[in-house]
Amino acid sequence: MTFHLLVDISAHGFGHLAQAAEVVNALGRRLPGLHTTVRTDLPADLLDDRLRVPYQTRTARLDPGMVMADALTVLPEDSQRAYAAFHEQWLERGQAEAR
């Protein structure tokens, strides 16, 4: 039996990739021939550094993340506006993905 794994990895910070890669790599060891598609807008070189399975990518912005003034300061009002704008097209994005 052939399996196809679709993995969505948020690109705000690299912690999501570090965690997801461990799971994907473990699945790849258990399921030889696993076909993996990664949806993300992380740079390809970072994916190549972490993933040990053959994979293809689909570029996708999965969420806006937090709007930051600097490395430690979240701008809550700006972040709320960014998420509100992102979700205005939620239904249309879902329908497009289903197609």
Side-chain angles (χ1 to χ4, degrees):
M1 177 180 276
T2 302
F3 294 97
H4 184 177
L5 176 66
L6 171 64
V7 183
D8 285 341
I9 305 176
S10 177
H12 54 87
F14 302 141
H16 295 127
L17 171 60
Q19 293 173 21
E22 292 300 318
V23 174
V24 171
N25 292 335
L27 285 170
R29 287 190 298 274
R30 290 179 182 230
L31 300 169
L34 176 68
H35 178 77
T36 304
T37 301
V38 179
R39 284 193 312 182
T40 189
D41 57 352
L42 285 166
D45 60 329
L46 291 177
L47 297 173
D48 290 342
D49 286 346
R50 294 286 187 155
L51 293 172
R52 303 291 177 249
V53 299
Y55 68 93
Q56 64 182 23
T57 57
R58 284 189 52 212
T59 301
R61 184 169 184 230
L62 303 171
D63 62 64
M66 295 288 103
V67 178
M68 309 286 290
D70 55 45
L72 299 174
T73 309
V74 173
L75 300 173
E77 294 83 13
D78 291 345
S79 296
Q80 189 279 328
R81 282 190 291 277
Y83 270 92
F86 183 79
H87 287 289
E88 283 177 2
Q89 303 299 318
W90 186 259
L91 181 60
E92 292 83 358
R93 278 198 315 278
Q95 291 170 338
E97 286 296 328
R99 284 190 296 278

